[in-house]
Amino acid sequence: MDVIVVGDRAELAKARQALRIGGAVSPGRAALALVPTMGALHEGHRSLIRLAREQAEHVAVSIFVNPLQFGPGEDYTRYPRTFDTDLEVCAAEGVSMVFAPSADDMYLPDRQVGVSAGGMGTIVEGVFRPGHLDGVLTVVLKLFNLVQPDVAVFGQKDAQQLAMIRRMVADLDVPVSVVGAPTVREADGLALSSRNRYLSSHERRTALALSQALFAGAAEPTPEEVRRTARAVLAGEPAVEVDYLVLVDPATFEEVGADHRGEAILAVAARVGSTRLIDNVTVTL
C-alpha cells in the first residue's frame, strides 16, 4: 500500500476512513500508532516506526517542525527539512499515513491556549530552554487530538520530554498509550540525532565525549561516583561546553540523593561548536 500523505487536518478523517481505522483489528494490537517527528528521519526514527508497527495495524508518522518548541536564537529556520527523503523512509518502513501540516494548519493566528509543563518543565532542560517543554506538550496534545492514535511512540533519547508526555497523558486523562523506545547509537556510541549533520568531522569526534561520559558514569555504584566520573570525562574535552550533567529520577527529573537506589537517568546537554546535543543513559544504583 502506498503511503497516504495528509497535508492538513481536513484530510485526516478521509485518510482514516481510507485505512478503515476504527474497525476490527488483530487481538492484542491497536488500530493506529503515531510516531511524532520533526522530519530529517534517520535510523533512530526507523526504530521508532518499527516498534510502532509491532504495536498497531497502521502507523502514522507526523512530520512537523514545531515553532513553539524553539526559543529565540535557536535553530528553527535552519533545522533540516528533507521531506522527499523522509517519505521514502516512511514507505520503506511500511508507514500507512504521513501527516505533514503547515504551521498555519496547526496553530490559529490568534492562538491563546497551550499546555503548561508546570514545575517539571522549569528544571534540567527547562532551565536552558524556557518554554521548550510547553511547546512540546502543546504540539503533542494537538497531534493526539487530530490523529487520534491508540498508541504513540517516542525515543528515550529525549528522556525529559518522554517523562513529561507520560505525565501529561496521566494528568489530563488522554486516551493514548505512550511507549518509549531505546536510544539508537552509531557504532562508536554517538546517539543518533538530526542535528548531528551540523557537526564537522572534528566536532563529531569531540561529541563522543558525551556518550563516553555517560557510559563511564553508569558503571559506578553510587550517585556521587556516577556524577564525579562522568564530569571527569567531560572535563577532559574542553571543546565541549556543558549546559548540564544531572542524575535524576526517571519520572520527576528531580536530582536523586546520595542514598538513592534503583533506576536513575544520567543526562547531559552540551554544545559542540554551534550545535547543541543531548544524551542520556539509564543507571541502576
Side-chain angles (χ1 to χ4, degrees), residues 123-198:
I123 59 177
V124 190
E125 191 72 1
V127 173
F128 294 89
R129 302 184 71 188
H132 166 68
L133 288 164
D134 293 352
V136 169
L137 295 184
T138 297
V139 76
V140 168
L141 185 58
K142 287 176 71 67
L143 288 169
F144 286 176
N145 287 335
L146 290 167
V147 180
Q148 300 176 39
D150 306 290
V151 178
V153 179
F154 297 87
Q156 178 64 35
K157 189 177 82 70
D158 295 291
Q160 188 173 5
Q161 170 182 290
L162 176 58
M164 289 266 20
I165 291 167
R166 284 177 166 149
R167 184 78 258 178
M168 176 184 73
V169 164
D171 286 349
L172 301 183
D173 298 308
V174 182
V176 176
S177 175
V178 176
V179 176
T183 300
V184 177
R185 299 181 180 277
E186 299 280 6
D188 57 12
L190 184 69
L192 291 185
S193 169
S194 298
R195 290 183 168 93
N196 287 352
R197 67 188 66 199
Y198 299 155

Side-chain angles (χ1 to χ4, degrees), residues 48-59:
L48 302 183
I49 295 169
R50 291 165 190 162
L51 180 56
R53 289 189 64 195
E54 295 175 7
Q55 304 285 322
E57 294 287 323
H58 294 286
V59 174

Side-chain angles (χ1 to χ4, degrees), residues 78 80 186 188 190-210 239-240 270-278:
R78 73 169 184 143
E186 299 280 6
D188 57 12
L190 184 69
L192 291 185
S193 169
S194 298
R195 290 183 168 93
N196 287 352
R197 67 188 66 199
Y198 299 155
L199 300 170
S200 68
S201 58
H202 174 71
E203 289 170 342
R204 192 194 177 286
R205 290 192 296 272
T206 300
L208 291 176
L210 274 69
V240 174
R271 293 188 182 277
V272 179
S274 62
T275 304
R276 188 174 187 272
L277 302 172
I278 64 171

